[in-house]
Amino acid sequence: MSSAPPPLDPSIAPPGTRTFRDAGGIPADQWHADQNGETLVPTHCCFCGVQCGMYLRVDRAGKVFGVEPRNHDINRMRLCPKGINAYQQVNHPDRLTAPLLRRSRDEPFREASWEEALDFTVAEIRRIQAAHGNDAFGLLGGASLFSEKTYLVGKFGRVALKTRHVDYNGRLCMVSAAGANKLAFGIDRAGNPFSDILLSDCLLIAGSNVGECFPVMTQYLWGARDRGASLIVIDPRETAIARTADIHVALKPGTDAAFFNAVLNVVIQENLVDKEFVAAHTTGWDEVRASVADCTPEVAADICGIPAHQVVQVARAFAGADRAMAWHARGIEHHSQGVENCLTVINLCTATGNLGKPGAGYGTITGQGNGQGGREHGQKSDLLPGGRSIANPEHRRQICEIWGIEETELPPAGTSMMEMVWQMQRQEIRGLIGICNNPFVSLPNYATVKSGYDTLEFHAQFDFFLSETAANAHVVFPVTTWAEDEGVMANAEARVVKHNKAQEPPAGVRTDTWVMCQLAQRLGVADKFSYAGSREVFDELRIASAGTVNDYYGITYERLEETGGIAWPCPSTDHPGTPRLFEGGRTAHPDGKIHMQAVEWHPPMDPYDEEHPMSLTTGRTVAHFLSGNQTRRLGALVEQTPRPWVEVHPSHGFRNGDPVRVVTRRGSEVFPALVTEAIRPDTVFIPYHWPVPTAANALTIDALDPRSKIPEYKVCACRIEAAERIDEVPAPPAPPGHQAYPATQVSRTDPLPPTSPQGRGTAERS
Amino acid sequence: MMGRTIFIDPGRCIGCQACVSACRECDSHRGKSMIHLDYPDEGHSVASLPTVCMHCEDPVAPCAEVCPADAILVTADGVVQQADTTRCIGCANCVNACPFGVPKIDLQAKLQLKCNLCYDRTAYGLAPMCATVCPTGALFYGTVEELRAERPGVQVADSFTFGDVVVSTGVAMVVPADKVQWPVPGGLPIVEVNGKDVTR
């Protein structure tokens, strides 16, 4: 018998695989998991930008079959229902295990060999590019991929496909915040780690349903409140967090910039500006001050549909606190003035001197697991690795040198994800590879998206489940889940964390890296894509980012395993990383200043009129993730939230469950009503995780922010009317390729020995 | 007062059901969740409230007291176990006796199911799965001192009135500091008995 394991520091993510008792401090031989030869693999959740640490439970046969909380210092054992159920994807019966192929959309899919699927794809790429030029083929990546893979997507698009049209679904996530950060600070990431929330005296949460979208972050909010911090929530709905806030401002969707300008107006009027900080560390203050002069609380109250005194309350609470902090998410970012909304929040933090200090600062909460890291290394249409600009000759030269190509071979910037769809409609893009994204559910204005994709002559998708978008493709490549490969992700704090491999992929499944390398080989650039695995890609990424603002050079797999995560920039292997930016008021701009930007509010792009007098806004539910391709297949999560609904105020006269038709200029759909006082009377809300005919995004508008090109998901004009019959409410369709799950899908494989002690037996085992 | 137990803080509950999923994942229950999530003010507020077994102390576990098969064991440390599968006859007496509506009957298997405070974990010093994962701390496992160290000044109650009957429990509730009432009202307020207004 082996000796007792040494005591462990539970705050440190332990390297490698461990036995059950090592993780929990349970006495040897007293725990059935050890008796069953079970092991725990430390990794992180595959879903949102919090990136909670978790253990995947692996059975004696090497298969993932469960989850165990992990005391990682991001989440300290906490998990949300998505994280708890995530493991069920790994060996789910819906997994794709062979390439699917069809020569035309009129045919059904057939399973094909890897050789045939890769050869057919390359033949189509060559055919389209020979006839219509390299830019007629597009590539859309995903922000759920490891950073190694997102780096490879950017390189594959520009070096192998030689196309300018490379973009990713992070475009639908936090690019507005990224754009604002870049303008104001010269660096694109949140300024503070989550742990700084605990030190704050006033927390302002704008446009973020933290309780449902990032549940594990609520422990930080509550930790601060336990110390006496006040909480301000800006949201048209009374969310679970807003319910307990000191001040809840239920403003009208699309009016955030007017609100924050008015708050800044009050801060100036009441002499609450940190004049020393502003004088020492900013540029543009005079323009900003002038721009908010007319935006009084009364003006904002009129625009935002709120009482004017709330503007004053927020200004006094935020500016009056010793250390105040603002966090925001898609609620203020998904707008045609998303960048400007974020800039108004930055202006407020800057004017009050709340930047770069413990407990004081600014952060954006990433939606996708790698929404932050996904754009840092060249997957976005205008960026090269290390956050370099594709338009900057010096940056181009540096990357071409690393990639071993001539600068003339490197294409210029392409267009954004939504713009690429419009180009598909115009046949400017005729072929497309999509990697782990699902625009059929996630992009606005479904009819446009469908018509764009239907016009494609060739469409290939990488995914591990057959998404609604993959079901439209000619070729589908079955790729690995996060538990079958290793790699890094950068969470909402820009903390780089390492995911570990917990099991071998099912037979027939390959990593995204392998598939891209195989395609590149067939496209004649094998020498530039010869990677044995993620580690080699990561080492190239480190070199490619060295010396940039997004410096990863000092981050290694070994260091990540030792530390549990390092925040970039980290320029050398003895550098501790940079959890908090702007200390001493210094930014990444060459002059070290915060470049404040004046913002003028303008109304949303979809105008209200007599036919469309109300606002439609969309968002998430706690049980589902983004387009739902992953979570709509997991029994427990489907049971928790089986379908979408429309939230309406009681003043409209509906009762719970009544069929309500929501009509916008893009179309109409019928949803069951959820009647609640927790929403403004002039606003309705629909969660967006489902496909047509239950898709919120069949109704939303494809207007874009001119700078970030993010769609205006969070507001469009609509009307609601009573549908005549309850049977007009459609049920959400089953996900493509979905198989009825066996009983074990919820009640997983039973690892217990038959002689388990009293208290463990239930009907499930009888 | 109480030792190491679960404290329920409805003020922190965000209705995410992580506790429900975690309970389903713990090794005690094999894919069935023993937690109920209630929405006490639906239509007006998004308020929610998780209910686990309250592990009644006085009177000792009404569910166990009424069990004709003596299937429900109360351990020395006050944990009311779920019914022993070898004894349970699925009669549902425990369901009717519980003032908190906790035990459920699996009709197909004719067996009772209820929270057993993750005895397989708590017996070895780990927190129950629900309280381990709860993202907000609406379910907290520890001693009242540990709770107060983390949340200064927090008020808790571990007894509930149902009409004239007071039930003391092993599991405690966090109650608003400005509205401490001992004990906390449980269930619906009794207004009428046999057509007679008993509030006068």
Side-chain angles (χ1 to χ4, degrees), chain A residues 182-207:
Chain A
K182 203 84 185 212
L183 280 170
F185 305 125
I187 185 169
D188 155 19
R189 54 157 275 203
N192 296 63
F194 292 150
S195 54
D196 268 4
I197 295 173
L198 296 167
L199 308 173
S200 182
D201 300 312
C202 176
L203 291 160
L204 187 150
I205 308 288

Side-chain angles (χ1 to χ4, degrees), chain A residues 24 91 164 186 270 305 307 319 357 366 380 387 415 436 442 528 555 605 648 658 680 709-710:
Chain A
N91 295 304
R164 67 192 293 182
E270 303 209 348
K357 292 184 284 196
T366 324
K380 190 162 169 262
T415 51
C436 299
S442 62
K528 299 183 175 60
I555 302 174
M605 297 303 277
V648 294
D658 280 353
R680 290 175 59 92
K709 305 293 171 74
I710 204 168

Side-chain angles (χ1 to χ4, degrees), chain A residues 522-541:
Chain A
R522 285 165 170 76
L523 289 165
V525 284
D527 55 322
K528 299 183 175 60
F529 288 87
S530 56
Y531 304 100
S534 295
R535 181 181 288 266
E536 285 183 16
V537 184
F538 187 68
D539 285 338
E540 188 177 304
L541 181 158

Side-chain angles (χ1 to χ4, degrees), chain A residues 51-124:
Chain A
Q51 287 292 288
C52 298
M54 59 164 61
Y55 289 108
L56 287 174
R57 298 174 71 172
V58 180
D59 68 14
R60 200 192 292 269
K63 292 283 184 196
V64 169
F65 77 96
V67 66
E68 183 69 19
R70 176 182 170 199
N71 200 2
H72 189 278
D73 56 359
I74 293 175
N75 59 312
R76 293 177 280 184
M77 309 287 264
R78 316 294 172 89
L79 291 171
C80 81
K82 287 190 290 287
I84 293 164
N85 289 290
Y87 79 88
Q88 294 176 13
Q89 296 187 85
V90 183
N91 295 304
H92 195 285
D94 288 3
R95 280 293 297 274
L96 298 171
T97 52
L100 301 178
L101 191 148
R102 56 182 171 184
R103 307 244 162 198
S104 103
R105 289 197 184 85
D106 303 330
E107 298 169 13
F109 280 121
R110 65 178 168 84
E111 291 195 353
S113 69
W114 274 98
E115 287 296 309
E116 187 187 0
L118 292 164
D119 288 344
F120 176 58
T121 302
V122 170
E124 286 293 289

Side-chain angles (χ1 to χ4, degrees), chain A residues 346-420:
Chain A
I346 292 173
N347 286 345
L348 177 63
C349 292
T350 307
T352 53
N354 281 305
L355 277 173
K357 292 184 284 196
Y362 164 85
T364 177
I365 319 170
T366 324
Q368 292 203 66
N370 206 19
Q372 174 67 47
R375 70 178 172 282
E376 289 165 2
H377 300 292
Q379 197 184 195
K380 190 162 169 262
S381 64
D382 56 349
L383 291 183
L384 288 171
R388 292 177 175 91
S389 166
I390 202 163
N392 181 319
E394 176 58 17
H395 291 177
R396 292 171 64 85
R397 189 193 61 71
Q398 290 168 349
I399 288 301
C400 288
E401 203 171 290
I402 292 164
W403 285 352
I405 59 171
E406 294 297 322
E407 201 196 316
T408 49
E409 293 178 68
L410 186 66
T415 51
S416 72
M417 192 162 175
M418 193 67 221
E419 290 170 310
M420 281 172 69

Side-chain angles (χ1 to χ4, degrees), chain A residues 618-693:
Chain A
T618 67
R620 308 180 203 195
T621 75
V622 68
H624 291 292
F625 183 63
L626 304 186
S627 78
N629 183 39
Q630 301 176 68
T631 50
R632 281 186 280 114
R633 298 168 194 270
L634 304 184
L637 299 177
V638 174
E639 195 179 291
Q640 186 172 336
T641 311
R643 56 161 306 126
W645 61 86
V646 57
E647 258 174 63
V648 294
H649 192 268
S651 58
H652 297 286
F654 293 107
R655 289 174 307 170
N656 260 348
D658 280 353
V660 174
R661 181 175 292 106
V662 183
V663 186
T664 71
R665 296 188 177 92
R666 270 70 53 199
S668 74
E669 282 179 336
V670 182
F671 299 89
L674 176 72
V675 180
T676 174
E677 290 169 7
I679 191 162
R680 290 175 59 92
D682 60 6
T683 303
V684 294
F685 169 88
I686 306 171
Y688 68 72
H689 309 286
W690 289 266
V692 285

Side-chain angles (χ1 to χ4, degrees), chain A residues 24 26-27 30-32 57 66-69 76-81 84-85 87-88 211 215-216 218-219 222 226 238-241 243-244 622 636 639-640 675-678 746-748 750-752 758-766, chain B residues 10-19 21-22 24-32 42-48 71 73 81-85 106 109 111-113 116 119-121 124 126 129 131-137 150-152:
Chain A
I26 293 167
Q30 299 266 323
W31 188 250
H32 63 83
R57 298 174 71 172
V67 66
E68 183 69 19
R76 293 177 280 184
M77 309 287 264
R78 316 294 172 89
L79 291 171
C80 81
I84 293 164
N85 289 290
Y87 79 88
Q88 294 176 13
V216 171
T218 56
Q219 64 174 313
W222 281 112
D226 287 337
E238 187 199 79
T239 60
I241 288 299
R243 178 173 75 86
T244 53
V622 68
E639 195 179 291
Q640 186 172 336
V675 180
T676 174
E677 290 169 7
V746 171
S747 55
R748 54 181 163 61
D750 189 343
L752 282 182
Q758 194 277 338
R760 299 222 186 101
T762 71
E764 289 289 303
R765 302 182 53 241
S766 301
Chain B
R12 295 191 178 208
C13 183
I14 54 174
C16 74
Q17 300 201 31
C19 52
S21 272
R24 191 185 284 117
E25 288 303 318
C26 75
D27 282 326
S28 286
H29 299 114
R30 314 278 59 152
K32 294 256 183 189
E42 209 169 13
H44 302 286
S45 161
V46 292
S48 51
L73 169 76
Q81 299 287 352
Q82 68 193 50
D84 182 342
T85 51
D106 180 333
L111 287 173
Q112 181 244 37
L113 297 161
N116 66 350
Y119 207 59
D120 57 337
R121 301 175 80 86
Y124 295 121
L126 290 183
M129 270 293 248
T132 304
V133 303
C134 177
T136 64
E150 206 176 274
R151 307 176 194 176

